[in-house]
Amino acid sequence: MKNSVLLSLFVLTGLFAIGQKENPLEVVQYRLENGLTVMLNVDKSQPNVFGMVVVKGGSKRDPNDATGIAHYFEHIMFKGSEKLGSIDYATEKIYLDSIAVKYDELALASTDEDKEKIQLEINRISMKAGEYAIPNEFDKVIAKIGGTNLNAFTSNDLIAYHNSFPANQMEKWMAIYSDRFIDPVFRLFQSELETVYEEKNMSMDNSFNKLFEVINEGLYKGHPYENTVLGSIAHLKNPSLRKMQEYFDTYYVANNMALILVGNFDVATVKPMIEKYFGIWRQGEIPSMPEYTPKPFDGREFISKKLTPIRVGLMAFRTTGRGSNDDVALQILNKVLSNEASTGYLDKLYHDNKLMMSGCMELQYADLGANMVLFVPKIVGQSFKKVEKLVYAEVSRLGKGDFDDEMIAAIKTNLKKDFYQSLESPNYRGYFMMDAFMQGKDWKQILLFPEEVDRISREELIRVARQYYGENYLTIYSKMGFPKKEKLKKPNFKHLEPKNSESKSDFAKQIEQMPVVMTDPVFIEFGKDVEIQDVTDKIHFYFTPNPINNIFSISLEFGLGTIKNPELDPASTFFNLLGTEKRDFPALKKEFQKLGASVQAYADPDAFVIYIDGLEENMEATLTLVHELLAEMKADDKQLEKLVSESKVDRKFEDKEPYSIGEALDNFAMYGDNSPYLTRPTIKEIKARTAAEWVSMIKEAMKYEVDIHYSGKTNSTEIRQKIVSNLVVNSTLEKTESPVEMPRIARTERTVFLLEDKKLIQSQITFFMEGTVLKPEEMAHCNSFNEYFGGGMYSLVFQEAREFRSLAYSAWAYFRNPPVFGRKSYLLGGITCQADKTIEAIQIFDSLITKMPRKPERLEIIRESLLQAVNSYRPSFRYLSQTVARWRMLGYKEDPRKQYLEVYNKLKFSDIVEFYKNHLNRSPLITTVAGDTERFDVKALAPFGKTVVVTKKEIFN
């Protein structure tokens, strides 16, 4: 057993990799005396560390009468502790204790009048408590040590807190995170509740949210999984700090938690630090989870409701919990039904045009799982019943063993490839380690996955299929409809007055004084980290060695994109449905699947991209097969029907989805009739094109100048010759005009573009301001401005819109630069908020942009954050060459961060102000609003410019 595991790891992952002595998959796993699980993965190829703290709990541990508490508490964990986030915690605590009592009173209040009275009293006391709070101090201390991607998430089974940071800041990070979980303080509670409401609003605006609620209720009736992670509105309106404290006291104990570190450190060095900072965490007795056994399905159980913009059906089969003995067999069976290579039984129904769409989706919770088979009937003339019968017939084949060994072998190959590819990323490795902790497994058991895949026999697959894919299941028909949404009223509260936003707690000062071993930043070396060769003046080859495994990737980026030819977007979709002169689509996909390879195309504004990956040992065969596809594409009218069907489904959804509506409106304001949503082909135009015309369009795109990006283990000279000869199928290439800039409309007056949509709970608001031409030497100051203005949780935009006024879940803004110098940059910002907060949100954004507040006290944190971030940034080897190519396009001949560092070290606050004066407010501010105009005063938009009312027909073609 051990020998075979070692062999498979050696062959598939290349443990003794280029320039890396450590095994990148080795994890040191142990427990402290207090029960804390520690998992350490050393990866010296990274300049930084990914740190994560995981808590077993999640929404399934929420009290029955206080759903959403686990998630809400996750938000409160960003508010600091007794030592961090306050100028005088002893005095602040007096008010915070009073607030907690008032929330208990609120829970007992019986009338709306009494509730409002108590809420206003809570607001009054909160204002007093806020006089001692230091908003966002936790975010600031993390930013100052160079922390990036600071975030957290709550699922049904766990809560996780994570971010990345420079390797030399390890001890500071530990000190901050240790304190974070000892005595968190529920400060700024009332304002944060409004933010959680906005997250709830955002979920309710999602077209599929209600469908998934119905699915969970039907699958897990009587189990906490039937509740949403965000909790019910009724419980969110009446939160209990006492119950939240009980949740923390019960589940946030060392023996129920894990510390995960992945990146550039030495185990021997960090172990004493871990003992010092995390060995002091308390342990506790974890209550056993009650036995919840949902009632078994009795045959086919049925639900029919109007829930989605198009008709969607599904069959849900209860399975087993994540990591169980049958988990791997179920993964294989699900791939037999539907997989990325489109060779599954359900995929065949789709490709044979027997329905609109079909596929599989797994729900892998810790206690119970489910597999959902989704299907979409044709828009006209096909009933739910007919499609369900077709789908069930395919599912039933599993229990009969109606699958061939060749297909199973191919699925196994790709499952193993996907597993090792996922482990390439340090962050994803951290998530795999999180899974190991949650499943109660040793890391070595996780690495046994490839062997478990190989072990599964045909007989085992049939047994598992018969056990889970039987006659007992849930069927849901979601008819076209729009479920009623509960629209909350904006509370009549006073906003936080940030008296101490620039203050520092004593603990923050102590963190700053902790010694740090200075390290030189590791820059990306052109020609060394990434080999670059201009094969011709129109073929540019980038080579990056793969230090992790034996999986190669190739990206062909032809220099013609959707700006020059908007039809390339559907053309790329059609490419993914093509066969060749020798093999039709199913046969071709089957060959790729057997090789463990995949080929996909997509189009972006400046390029038509073909992405290939596969196993190094099958490189020759893969390139030969890709050559066949590129040189011998075969037009297929049958596939054209699917292109039209997919386009119809996409268009049906987009004018119902808040994000798409907001983006289309924003694009209309910026580009007018040149908006991508208007220049793209209509359904009628897509349908009018023949299959041969689409193929001709793809071939035309492949005649343009190409960037080739390869990452793998094959010698660069050898692989370059093979790729060019096999994949550049045109003997002559045309010079590209990319990157192309879409012309923006030069507005001469402030304007508000308004789109009315009564179905939206939240308003989708964006802000656009034309900028000026940036010089290369101004880039570092641009980064500094973005960091100050809208770059993080301590930025002006985030603090003013979210932290102080609770207007939104997310608020952002940044000065965007073109892909080449010499073209105009522009400011772009956005906020989504409850409709009745629209005017206030616009007022705040407008004032920040046109009259930017000066807070010179923030210079220190901005400078440190930028300097330390240089130490922690390095793209994955898979995308390193794209980063270099982008820099080259801008004219850089070396890593531009070398220049940035010089500026950051000398940065003055006046530099940020000067950048603002030179590049903003030279053009009028353009605002777009999509929302329910019955919930805000449209006349109140007048101070922000001329109001132009538009309809969906004007922004979508």
Side-chain angles (χ1 to χ4, degrees), residues 705-767:
E705 185 173 353
V706 62
D707 283 359
I708 302 170
H709 298 269
Y710 167 84
S711 178
K713 288 190 177 297
T714 305
N715 173 277
S716 62
T717 303
E718 178 188 350
I719 193 61
R720 183 184 68 245
Q721 293 170 343
K722 288 179 179 178
I723 291 174
V724 172
S725 60
N726 277 282
L727 306 186
V728 182
V729 294
N730 293 294
S731 57
T732 58
L733 298 176
E734 296 181 31
K735 192 71 178 171
T736 180
E737 295 179 28
S738 295
V740 182
E741 187 172 23
M742 199 161 9
R744 296 185 289 272
I745 293 178
R747 305 283 180 189
T748 57
E749 61 181 318
R750 287 161 60 92
T751 310
V752 179
F753 288 87
L754 177 64
L755 185 145
E756 179 184 355
D757 190 333
K758 291 184 172 62
K759 292 185 175 68
L760 294 180
I761 293 178
Q762 290 185 311
S763 290
Q764 303 289 316
I765 309 170
T766 62
F767 304 88

Side-chain angles (χ1 to χ4, degrees), residues 628-645:
E628 179 185 321
L629 172 60
L630 299 185
E632 304 176 28
M633 296 178 211
K634 185 175 180 183
D636 188 341
D637 288 327
K638 188 172 69 173
Q639 304 294 52
L640 184 56
E641 292 178 38
K642 290 196 283 293
L643 175 63
V644 174
S645 294

Side-chain angles (χ1 to χ4, degrees), residues 195-206:
T195 299
V196 175
Y197 279 158
E198 289 293 355
E199 193 172 356
K200 183 73 173 178
N201 286 335
M202 191 164 59
S203 75
M204 289 191 291
D205 262 342
N206 185 301

Side-chain angles (χ1 to χ4, degrees), residues 778-804:
E778 293 181 293
M779 282 298 298
H781 286 146
C782 180
N783 297 338
S784 306
F785 168 79
N786 282 336
E787 189 76 11
Y788 174 68
F789 191 77
M793 290 184 178
Y794 64 90
S795 67
L796 290 178
V797 166
F798 189 90
Q799 280 201 332
E800 294 290 335
R802 172 171 163 164
E803 194 71 14
F804 300 158

Side-chain angles (χ1 to χ4, degrees), residues 330-379:
L330 281 166
Q331 289 185 53
I332 295 171
L333 288 169
N334 293 341
K335 297 294 185 185
V336 173
L337 292 176
S338 181
N339 57 64
E340 294 80 3
S342 298
T343 62
Y345 298 157
L346 300 179
D347 302 324
K348 190 172 188 304
L349 287 179
Y350 164 64
H351 290 296
D352 289 343
N353 288 316
K354 292 185 177 178
L355 42 62
M356 178 75 82
M357 284 186 180
S358 58
C360 283
M361 179 178 173
E362 296 171 351
L363 290 180
Q364 287 193 308
Y365 301 144
D367 303 339
L368 294 166
N371 191 59
M372 296 184 295
V373 179
L374 293 94
F375 51 88
V376 178
K378 292 180 180 179
I379 292 176

Side-chain angles (χ1 to χ4, degrees), residues 59 62-64 67 156 216-217 223-231:
S59 63
D62 286 343
N64 291 332
T67 57
N156 300 79
N216 280 333
E217 288 168 4
H223 190 286
Y225 287 158
E226 71 176 316
N227 299 321
T228 68
V229 171
L230 295 177

